[in-house]
Amino acid sequence: MQPIVKEELASSLRGRDFIALVDYSPEEVRYLIDLAIDLKGKQKAGEIYHPLKGKTLGMIFEKSSTRTRVSFEVGMYQLGGQGLFLSGNDLQIGRGETIWDTAQTLSRYLDGIMIRTYAHRTVIELARGATIPVINGLTDTNHPCQALCDYQTILEHKGRLEGLKVAYIGDGNNMVHSLLMGAAKLGVHMSVATPEGYEPDEDIIRQTMEAASATGSKISVHRDPKEAIADADVVYTDVWASMGFEQEQKEREIAFASYQVNEELTKYAKSDYLFMHCLPAHRGEEVSEGVIDGKHSIIFDQAENRLHAQKAIMAAIM
């Protein structure tokens, strides 16, 4: 079989939606990561690169954000276009207009739509109604932009992805779903440790296992965090109560009490492990201050790479 060349990959991505990593081939995911690193180099060198000159991205926010809003808006500016902030309360969908009608209307004005919302079906419905590319900025089910930048960050620090082990300790939420699929697409081994009742979605685990079979990635879910973190190259965690689950904070603190990523737990990882967190973080809850602010932490490299990974997505599909 002939290798897929970059021109073919670039062509395959043009005009596509970016909703979940399961929709992309291993070659396409790696292409986006390599493109992100290339665009980062251009930006650091002060090179002007405006492939989206004259184009506008509509950014719908039904969930609050720091990194998503700023990185998409700055990213569009650096690519020569502009980002337009659209609060869910400002749009007619906040007053009952259908997603379909909103998608059809916005498609007449914009060149792309990014949405950060609660229900994953909202993004699916938006993409079905739109005639322009739609980007999933976060749902309760997936966070593909974050996962893409995370694997970019790991590659920059470790020099490779294939065969590395990522250990995720905590809630089986949208973040772990996208990390799992990214691992499966990129040949990364991943182990997850969650308390009973907080495991990743069974359908996503099934999809991940199917994708992993093609790349040799090893995926496992554990109850014991020490078992999951053993010999890990990367240790990852997230808040115990994501947006929309704040009312469960107290009961989750009890359930996750033995799942804090701290100095004692990380002794089981490799001595040169990387610590990652998608932020915002609650120091003293899911992670100790000594770990998140320690020498192994690369959390702000992750945060920066949201800009570059999302620029790659926008440049590729818009």
Side-chain angles (χ1 to χ4, degrees), residues 32-42 152 155-156 308:
L32 287 173
I33 290 173
D34 291 340
L35 179 59
I37 293 173
D38 180 58
L39 294 179
K40 182 177 181 178
K42 284 179 166 50
Q152 174 195 345
L155 178 60
E156 289 174 342
H308 307 298

Side-chain angles (χ1 to χ4, degrees), residues 6-181:
K6 285 187 176 181
E7 290 77 12
E8 292 174 351
L9 288 168
S11 178
S12 74
L13 294 172
R14 201 166 296 124
R16 296 261 298 275
D17 298 317
F18 188 79
I19 296 175
L21 293 178
V22 68
D23 302 324
Y24 282 68
S25 70
E27 294 82 7
E28 289 169 338
V29 174
R30 183 56 190 258
Y31 172 83
L32 287 173
I33 290 173
D34 291 340
L35 179 59
I37 293 173
D38 180 58
L39 294 179
K40 182 177 181 178
K42 284 179 166 50
Q43 192 264 330
K44 297 291 186 183
E47 182 178 340
I48 302 299
Y49 180 64
H50 287 167
L52 300 184
K53 184 177 181 180
K55 296 195 174 186
T56 303
L57 176 76
M59 306 184 302
I60 302 174
F61 285 88
E62 295 185 326
K63 278 188 174 184
S64 59
S65 168
T66 297
R67 282 151 290 275
T68 300
R69 177 176 179 182
V70 176
S71 56
F72 268 109
E73 197 161 333
V74 171
M76 274 300 291
Y77 174 78
Q78 291 182 355
L79 292 172
Q82 66 173 341
L84 180 64
F85 175 78
L86 302 168
S87 166
N89 294 327
D90 296 334
L91 297 173
Q92 292 295 339
I93 54 175
R95 300 177 59 209
E97 183 171 40
T98 66
I99 298 296
W100 177 271
D101 288 352
T102 299
Q104 287 282 306
T105 301
L106 292 180
S107 295
R108 302 296 180 101
Y109 304 142
L110 304 169
D111 302 286
I113 303 170
M114 187 284 300
I115 182 169
R116 181 178 171 91
T117 188
Y118 292 90
H120 194 70
R121 65 177 179 275
T122 299
V123 181
I124 300 296
E125 292 171 6
L126 186 69
R128 286 174 178 166
T131 57
I132 55 177
V134 171
I135 299 170
N136 176 6
L138 175 140
T139 67
D140 287 345
T141 306
N142 279 275
H143 200 354
C145 293
Q146 180 69 53
L148 192 72
C149 93
D150 289 339
Y151 286 112
Q152 174 195 345
T153 309
I154 294 170
L155 178 60
E156 289 174 342
H157 278 268
K158 291 293 187 181
R160 65 185 177 97
L161 290 171
E162 297 81 1
L164 292 178
K165 178 181 178 180
V166 174
Y168 178 95
I169 313 297
D171 186 27
N173 59 13
N174 52 2
M175 195 61 254
V176 73
H177 291 161
S178 290
L179 286 170
L180 280 166
M181 185 54 67

Side-chain angles (χ1 to χ4, degrees), residues 100-293:
W100 177 271
D101 288 352
T102 299
Q104 287 282 306
T105 301
L106 292 180
S107 295
R108 302 296 180 101
Y109 304 142
L110 304 169
D111 302 286
I113 303 170
M114 187 284 300
I115 182 169
R116 181 178 171 91
T117 188
Y118 292 90
H120 194 70
R121 65 177 179 275
T122 299
V123 181
I124 300 296
E125 292 171 6
L126 186 69
R128 286 174 178 166
T131 57
I132 55 177
V134 171
I135 299 170
N136 176 6
L138 175 140
T139 67
D140 287 345
T141 306
N142 279 275
H143 200 354
C145 293
Q146 180 69 53
L148 192 72
C149 93
D150 289 339
Y151 286 112
Q152 174 195 345
T153 309
I154 294 170
L155 178 60
E156 289 174 342
H157 278 268
K158 291 293 187 181
R160 65 185 177 97
L161 290 171
E162 297 81 1
L164 292 178
K165 178 181 178 180
V166 174
Y168 178 95
I169 313 297
D171 186 27
N173 59 13
N174 52 2
M175 195 61 254
V176 73
H177 291 161
S178 290
L179 286 170
L180 280 166
M181 185 54 67
K185 296 287 185 176
L186 294 164
V188 175
H189 307 315
M190 186 168 175
S191 58
V192 178
T194 68
E196 185 176 0
Y198 296 94
E199 300 87 352
D201 181 83
E202 289 184 2
D203 286 339
I204 290 180
I205 289 292
R206 177 185 53 78
Q207 292 176 340
T208 299
M209 293 296 189
E210 291 175 359
S213 65
T215 62
S217 173
K218 298 176 183 177
I219 306 296
S220 59
V221 179
H222 307 265
R223 193 70 64 221
D224 185 354
K226 293 178 182 177
E227 186 177 345
I229 204 173
D231 295 320
D233 297 285
V234 179
V235 179
Y236 202 119
T237 193
D238 193 6
V239 294
W240 291 341
S242 300
M243 278 186 288
F245 297 90
E246 293 88 352
Q247 72 281 2
E248 301 178 10
Q249 178 67 30
K250 294 301 181 184
E251 63 184 84
R252 283 173 175 256
E253 287 177 6
I254 296 171
F256 286 89
S258 61
Y259 288 79
Q260 184 189 76
V261 176
N262 52 37
E263 291 85 342
E264 185 61 32
L265 182 61
T266 53
K267 288 178 181 178
Y268 294 88
K270 288 184 178 177
S271 59
D272 62 345
Y273 81 92
L274 304 174
F275 174 75
M276 304 181 77
H277 193 304
C278 57
L279 301 180
H282 296 159
R283 287 167 170 80
E285 287 187 18
E286 73 272 9
V287 59
S288 67
E289 290 187 7
V291 169
I292 194 170
D293 297 321

